Amino acid sequence: MDPTVTILLLEDQALVRAGMRALIQICEPRATIHEASSVEEAEAALDEQAFDIAFLDIDLKGERSGLDFLRELRSREVETRAIMLSGRAGREIVMACIDAGASGYILKDMDSNGLFRKALDTVFEGGVFLPASVLGRGGFSPTPTSEPVPVTAESLGISGRTLEVLFYLCQGLPNKSIANKMGIEESTVRKDYVPKLFRLFKVVKRTELIVEVSRRGIKIPAPGPSAAPATR
């Protein structure tokens, strides 16, 4: 991760926003945090600069929600990781956010700051944090969720450009954006890399893939500045 991490925090309640800012700063002292209380303010901030991570409250007081801003992020094809913040743990809303391009979902009313901080640590370490409602029993895994032992994608035999595609998939980027960033055809992403990852993880959808990455505690490194080798 770069020496300075730029973060957008979209939360309409000032006290809650201040508390979250403090926790984020503790977990990532290098962070530069820009606060927004509405989708309009967040969009204005996005017009001015790029952000590494955006923490987005789903339920805002205005007409437009954090999910609306997430869709705006993805329409702009930026690499910003979007982490949703909500008091709702229902599987349907969590999966809707993942389907829209979120790469994490943190419950604001976790029973202790320790759990909230653990969720933040997972995000800053390159992992995908999702609530128990979509992991283990009731999710795509046939067994109950348990404390994952973090593993690397490379230890699963995922490397080269396949690893790069996995990284971008977990950022929530669509095939076209992934292809543009990698300098390859969209059909190559759609017909080659994505099906290969589905087979490796034994899933049939992107949402299921991201759930599995979270369930297994997999850390996915960001692609380096130079082009990845053309291995699969």
Side-chain angles (χ1 to χ4, degrees):
M1 190 174 288
D2 292 335
T4 299
V5 181
T6 55
I7 291 176
L8 175 64
L9 174 58
L10 173 58
E11 165 61 58
D12 59 0
Q13 298 183 55
L15 288 177
V16 175
R17 190 169 66 246
M20 289 183 174
R21 179 189 179 103
L23 283 172
I24 291 172
Q25 204 78 65
I26 290 171
C27 293
E28 183 46 81
R30 300 169 298 177
T32 298
I33 304 172
H34 183 100
E35 299 179 34
S37 61
S38 67
V39 171
E40 289 72 25
E41 288 183 9
E43 287 177 338
L46 193 61
D47 289 337
E48 295 295 325
Q49 70 175 97
F51 293 96
D52 298 308
I53 303 174
F55 290 94
L56 310 175
D57 182 19
I58 295 177
D59 301 306
L60 301 171
K61 295 177 182 177
E63 294 182 0
R64 301 167 70 194
S65 69
L67 189 54
D68 290 324
F69 182 71
L70 170 62
R71 296 189 176 105
E72 173 66 16
L73 268 180
R74 293 298 163 248
S75 70
R76 297 194 188 195
E77 299 186 7
V78 296
E79 290 185 39
T80 304
R81 295 179 66 197
I83 313 299
M84 310 309 290
L85 303 169
S86 178
R88 293 185 284 164
R91 183 175 180 277
E92 184 176 350
I93 184 63
V94 177
M95 298 308 292
C97 289
I98 297 174
D99 189 54
S103 54
Y105 192 106
I106 299 177
L107 297 178
K108 294 195 291 184
D109 59 351
M110 283 183 168
D111 58 10
S112 72
N113 285 342
L115 283 178
F116 193 89
R117 180 166 181 176
K118 178 184 174 182
L120 291 176
D121 285 338
T122 298
V123 170
F124 289 124
E125 290 168 1
V128 176
F129 188 92
L130 296 175
S133 56
V134 297
L135 301 176
R137 185 171 295 161
F140 296 107
S141 172
T143 57
T145 183
S146 59
E147 187 70 18
V149 177
V151 298
T152 63
E154 291 92 335
S155 70
L156 301 175
I158 305 170
S159 60
R161 307 219 83 183
T162 303
L163 180 60
E164 192 173 350
V165 171
L166 179 60
F167 172 81
Y168 288 128
L169 284 175
C170 288
Q171 301 300 296
L173 299 185
N175 290 343
K176 181 179 179 181
S177 298
I178 295 173
N180 289 340
K181 291 183 178 301
M182 296 178 63
I184 59 179
E185 295 294 328
E186 180 181 357
S187 60
T188 302
V189 176
R190 175 168 46 87
K191 297 179 180 180
D192 189 352
Y193 292 113
V194 172
K196 179 179 181 180
L197 287 167
F198 285 177
R199 290 193 299 271
L200 286 168
F201 284 92
K202 296 181 173 59
V203 298
V204 296
K205 297 179 181 178
R206 285 173 175 242
T207 50
E208 297 174 5
L209 173 64
I210 293 175
V211 167
E212 279 299 298
V213 168
S214 178
R215 185 182 70 83
R216 301 186 193 187
I218 298 172
K219 302 299 188 294
I220 306 168
S226 58
T231 57
R232 297 177 182 174

